[in-house]
Amino acid sequence: MLSIRTIKHLNLMMIILLLSALTLNAQDIMITSFESNTLGSIHNQGDWDIEDGTATIVDVPSQVHTGAKSLNFLANNETMVVHNITYGSSEQGVTGIVYVDLFVKINFMAIKDFAISGYDLFGGSEKRTFVVEFDTPDGNGGTAQLFNGGSRLYLGNYTFGEWNRMSIRVDYENDGYQVIFNGSDAVSASFRETYTPTASGTRPADIKEYHGLRFNLGYDSAVGSLDADMDDIYIST
């Protein structure tokens, strides 16, 4: 008969092995609070690319959520399109369940929205999976929404100058996602676009994947004004 001490030891070993397995199975895609980034334009820093507008690493305390740096998006009656592409269209991305967590502060916005979209890339195609938006403000704030296919669902309210947390669970096998906004109840939705990916390079066909993020004013050609800060991005399986 095993002693109580032996049983406790075996239980502890099982917990350690389970935690080790969970750690090994998790895949970190992007975890950053921008502390290692260089001040100035984020263009070509790691996987970041600026197509239009301005995205800058800043160290102004009022613009930072944690640490000493954050990312500031700026548009002045112009288009703004910023990409973070972890996996190219000919590379295998990440499928299954992907978690996205980030903090956003809208300082000012006019005319259009601020959209954060997950993209699946394959060949010459790019498809939106999850899309969350800070809608055009009315006064000193507005509403946050997510897309359920082509329709919008309400997430909550935002106020200029206040940090907001977006926590997203993306299910690439079932074409859907859930969003928790500032600790509220989760809101479920279907992917923004319906599609069937094709093979390209090492990227397999028929399997939907996470490949990157895109930030714009609702759509790439939208013209508007924005001043927004972002910090503490966590993307992992």
Side-chain angles (χ1 to χ4, degrees):
M1 180 180 294
L2 297 176
S3 67
I4 294 177
R5 181 176 181 180
T6 301
I7 292 172
K8 288 182 177 179
H9 177 73
L10 290 173
N11 287 339
L12 178 60
M13 290 300 296
M14 289 176 66
I15 293 171
I16 292 172
L17 289 172
L18 178 60
L19 292 175
S20 298
L22 290 173
T23 302
L24 290 172
N25 289 332
Q27 180 177 350
D28 293 336
I29 299 169
M30 176 170 58
I31 300 177
T32 183
S33 59
F34 302 103
E35 301 307 297
S36 62
N37 287 94
T38 303
L39 294 177
S41 175
I42 200 168
H43 184 61
N44 286 336
Q45 292 198 45
D47 297 326
W48 292 92
D49 175 76
I50 298 176
E51 184 176 328
D52 288 304
T54 302
T56 306
I57 298 295
V58 297
D59 61 355
V60 180
S62 62
Q63 294 181 255
V64 173
H65 182 254
T66 63
K69 298 178 183 178
S70 67
L71 178 61
N72 175 254
F73 295 94
L74 198 63
N76 183 15
N77 196 30
E78 59 185 333
T79 58
M80 190 205 75
V81 183
V82 179
H83 306 267
N84 180 277
I85 301 175
T86 308
Y87 308 100
S89 59
S90 296
E91 297 177 287
Q92 184 172 3
V94 178
T95 190
I97 304 297
V98 174
Y99 297 94
V100 180
D101 195 77
L102 49 82
F103 288 81
V104 180
K105 178 164 65 72
I106 307 295
N107 302 307
F108 175 78
M109 184 163 59
I111 306 173
K112 292 297 181 181
D113 314 319
F114 180 45
I116 303 166
S117 306
Y119 268 80
D120 191 348
L121 309 176
F122 51 96
S125 298
E126 49 186 32
K127 298 295 182 181
R128 291 165 293 178
T129 53
F130 63 89
V131 179
V132 293
E133 277 190 351
F134 291 87
D135 201 7
T136 307
D138 180 12
N140 292 323
T143 63
Q145 306 172 3
L146 81 165
F147 272 87
N148 179 33
S151 63
R152 290 178 170 90
L153 299 177
Y154 173 79
L155 285 172
N157 298 324
Y158 72 88
T159 302
F160 285 171
E162 294 184 1
W163 285 101
N164 303 278
R165 183 177 187 177
M166 290 274 192
S167 301
I168 309 170
R169 180 185 184 272
V170 192
D171 186 345
Y172 285 92
E173 294 181 354
N174 293 296
D175 302 354
Y177 64 107
Q178 296 175 308
V179 179
I180 296 174
F181 181 74
N182 289 335
S184 63
D185 292 338
V187 180
S188 299
S190 298
F191 280 175
R192 179 67 175 87
E193 297 185 74
T194 301
Y195 65 99
T196 301
T198 57
S200 178
T202 59
R203 192 250 142 83
D206 302 323
I207 299 174
K208 295 179 173 65
E209 299 176 339
Y210 173 89
H211 278 246
L213 295 175
R214 182 176 301 182
F215 307 87
N216 59 26
L217 302 182
Y219 51 95
D220 288 352
S221 60
V223 175
S225 296
L226 172 74
D227 182 346
D229 298 311
M230 183 172 293
D231 206 353
D232 296 325
I233 301 177
Y234 171 91
I235 306 176
S236 184
T237 58

